[in-house]
Amino acid sequence: RGIEPALSIDFRWLKVETRCMQFTRLAVIALRIVLVVAFLLLVLFQVMSFPGQFAHMAQENPERALLQWPLTIFSILEVACVQVVIVSTWKLLTMVKNDSIFSNHALRWVDAIVWAIAAAWTMLAVLSAAVVLNTDDPGLPLLLFLLLVAGAALGLVVVVLRALLRQATDLRTDMEAVI
C-alpha cells in the first residue's frame, strides 16, 4: 500500500488512439464508396446526359444550335477536372491507409487536385465572360459569379492544405532522421 511503482503507464491514450484509427478507417471506406458512385455518375453525364441535352437543345432552338458542341466540350472537360480530383483523392486515401501520406509523392497528387481546380475555374471564367457579354438577365451571370467565387475559395483552401501537408512532411522527415 505504501509502495508506489517506479513507472506508471496510462493506457487510456491507447484506447483513444484505437478509436481514432477505427473511425479513420471507416471514414476512408465511406469516402471511397462516395467517390466510386460520384465517378460513375460523372461518366454517365459525360457520355449520355450532356451530349444528349445539348443535342436536344439544338433541335428545339435552332438559333442556339451553334452552342451544342462548345457546351458539350465545356461540360465534358469540366467533368474531367472533377474526375481528376476524385482519382487524386482516391490515391491520397490509399496513402492515408498505408501511413505514407506524409511524403513528397502525396504532394504530387495534391498538385494534381490544384491544377484540376485551376483548369476548371479558368474554363468557367471564360464561359462566364461569354455569358455576361451575351445576356440581358442578371440571374445567370450572378450564379456563374457565385460558382467562380466558390471555385476560387476551394482552390485556395487546397493550396493552404498543401502547404500544411508540406510542413507536416518536413517535420516527419526531420523526426525520422532524429530517431
Side-chain angles (χ1 to χ4, degrees):
R1 202 170 180 357
I3 301 174
E4 291 188 27
L7 179 63
S8 175
I9 300 174
D10 186 2
F11 288 103
R12 287 181 289 186
W13 70 270
L14 188 59
K15 290 180 185 177
V16 171
E17 182 69 21
T18 302
R19 281 190 213 133
C20 184
M21 288 172 46
Q22 289 172 344
F23 180 75
T24 300
R25 188 176 60 82
L26 290 174
V28 167
I29 291 169
L31 184 53
R32 283 186 179 214
I33 291 169
V34 169
L35 291 175
V36 166
V37 170
F39 193 89
L40 292 175
L41 285 172
L42 289 171
V43 168
L44 182 67
F45 275 101
Q46 275 179 317
V47 174
M48 297 177 75
S49 182
F50 289 136
Q53 176 64 34
F54 295 127
H56 178 73
M57 178 197 71
Q59 285 178 345
E60 293 293 315
N61 299 317
E63 67 275 359
R64 294 186 180 174
L66 291 174
L67 296 175
Q68 177 185 356
W69 289 110
L71 288 175
T72 301
I73 292 168
F74 168 80
S75 300
I76 289 171
L77 291 175
E78 286 284 332
V79 169
C81 289
V82 176
Q83 289 170 325
V84 168
V85 171
I86 289 173
V87 169
S88 299
T89 303
W90 185 280
K91 291 293 198 174
L92 290 168
L93 286 174
T94 301
M95 296 179 90
V96 167
K97 181 181 167 193
N98 296 335
D99 195 31
S100 62
I101 191 68
F102 299 111
S103 67
N104 289 327
H105 187 65
L107 291 170
R108 288 185 218 130
W109 289 109
V110 177
D111 286 342
I113 292 172
V114 169
W115 283 107
I117 292 171
W121 188 90
T122 302
M123 288 186 292
L124 184 61
V126 170
L127 175 73
S128 299
V131 167
V132 166
L133 294 174
N134 295 304
T135 189
D136 296 328
D137 180 26
L140 184 58
L142 286 174
L143 177 63
L144 290 171
F145 183 68
L146 175 65
L147 290 173
L148 284 170
V149 169
L154 176 64
L156 292 172
V157 166
V158 174
V159 167
V160 169
L161 291 175
R162 186 200 183 283
L164 292 173
L165 179 61
R166 161 57 62 203
Q167 289 177 349
T169 300
D170 291 345
L171 288 173
R172 184 163 185 172
T173 303
D174 292 345
M175 284 178 30
E176 287 174 354
V178 171
I179 296 174

